[in-house]
Amino acid sequence: MARPSEQFTCQNCGETYRKWQGRCDSCGEWNSLLQSTADVAVPSGLTTGKGRNLTFTALNADISDYKRTISHIGELDRVLGGGFVPGSSILIGGDPGIGKSTLLLQAVAKMAMAGAPCIYISGEEATQQISMRAQRLGLADAPVQLASANSIRDIITSVEKTSPAPKLLVIDSIQTVFADNLPSAPGTVAQVRASAQELIRLARKTGTSVILVGHVTKDGQIAGPRVLEHMVDTVLYFEGDRGHQFRILRAVKNRFGATDEIGVFEMSDAGLKEVANPSSLFISSPDKTISGASVFAGMEGTRPLLVEIQGLVAATAQATPRRAVVGWDNARLAMILAVLDTRCDLSFSGSEVYLNVAGGLRVQEPAADLAVAAALVSSVSDIPVPPGSLFFGEIGLSGEVRPVGQTDARLKEAAKLGFTTAIIPAGSKVKSGPMKIIEIAHLREIVSLFSETKPMTRAV
């Protein structure tokens, strides 16, 4: 039998090379190539042998006993689509110290106290360290089965012998687990892929929901092979800024629910607390005499969310003015500035432009274009946005304002928080309500809105 050849595998993206090199040509990462054994090719004629007959079922199979298990954390259940699906595999990633282990410990503790058997296996911490965190969170009395292990063989053997089968299994983290039949070190591409595959097979076999905690790279992506995200059923990202107490749990892949759904948490001394009305946290009550702030009524999955957009236009003597964006797309800001310059006769070529989404939230919806334009026009004209107003709408390159979906849900959320006026695209299908609706068809109407508004007297 031919000896398997050696190869070098990138630990960031999984690309393989015959020779070592300092930089991966696929992802651009430096010093990420490690030596590994090449995969053995499948012998010819293997598919001609006898195999096991498969059992086929119809699409209308009975799923009455295939019910979700709720975590008793409403925001987590919302992101998952209603709870944990039996036999599903979930991958959650986030920056170090963001609260992944705290959230999962709270979830397994509440499920265990509700009668669902749960197992928490940590490869990074000792059981005493986890117990200390549980006592701080007031969860020490929860009947959670806790262990510290790194061998995938020991983990699978212990879980299979547990009776009754656990409803939830947490592996913290997948980069610390290893298979002893592979020569590579824990955290390498081969180890992560093999360990995850065995845990997913265990989930299908026992009906246990498995949560895999994943490390992230400096770019915020989950470390290891990209195939890991394809193997699991759900991929969650835990986002947040160390300077804010808010944490966002976002679903980017979900085979059993909606994607782009978010759950909002607040970090406190007692752990992560659910935020039932996040709109009240992301908008403030600033001084009504300050220009450059507008409120955007957005949608995160099925949830309407109001956030404050802050813009600042400052004169500069530099040849290349700075454009700084926090929480929004940099390229989209450049497009909005170009449209305001070309279609609305507003010049930003000699000014620095700063844009910030308050509260540490990242907005990805094109409907925020109108709110961003309103904040920039308010700043450059030094005229505050009319009190009680909100904006949403997409802006085209010709300056037209295009309608967006779920208008009624956005307006309903704004009415609950006391907003009285909505500036929205013309042609939006709006049901009658208590708010005053101002429909605009072109971005020039936003500029006219601020030119007609008398500047408010600044407080000294």
Side-chain angles (χ1 to χ4, degrees), residues 9-15 27 29 32 91 174-175 186-194 196 213-218 220-231 237:
T9 305
C10 175
Q11 304 306 304
N12 186 44
C13 66
E15 188 70 23
C27 64
E29 190 74 13
S32 62
L91 177 64
I174 187 63
Q175 275 79 13
T188 57
V189 171
Q191 287 286 3
V192 170
R193 182 169 51 215
V213 179
H215 295 170
V216 296
T217 63
K218 61 182 180 181
Q221 302 295 323
I222 295 180
R226 192 71 176 183
V227 70
L228 181 60
E229 299 187 30
H230 294 277
M231 294 168 60
Y237 276 91

Side-chain angles (χ1 to χ4, degrees), residues 330-413:
N330 209 337
R332 202 152 189 93
L333 173 63
M335 185 198 75
I336 298 298
L337 292 175
V339 173
L340 287 171
D341 194 352
T342 305
R343 308 297 182 184
C344 302
D345 298 329
L346 293 178
S347 179
F348 294 89
S349 59
S351 304
E352 293 184 343
V353 178
Y354 301 89
L355 190 73
N356 176 49
V357 179
L361 184 68
R362 178 164 183 83
V363 176
Q364 302 174 344
E365 197 178 2
D369 291 351
L370 193 58
V372 170
L376 295 176
V377 174
S378 172
S379 178
V380 74
S381 62
D382 201 16
I383 299 175
V385 172
S389 301
L390 62 93
F391 303 81
F392 60 87
E394 183 181 357
I395 298 176
L397 291 179
S398 62
E400 81 277 10
V401 182
R402 299 178 179 180
V404 295
Q406 299 175 297
T407 300
D408 291 327
R410 302 172 196 263
L411 296 178
K412 184 178 179 181
E413 177 72 11

Side-chain angles (χ1 to χ4, degrees), residues 152 156 174 177-179 190-200:
I152 189 65
I156 292 179
I174 187 63
V177 179
F178 68 91
Q191 287 286 3
V192 170
R193 182 169 51 215
S195 301
Q197 187 174 3
E198 291 299 323
L199 290 169
I200 293 173

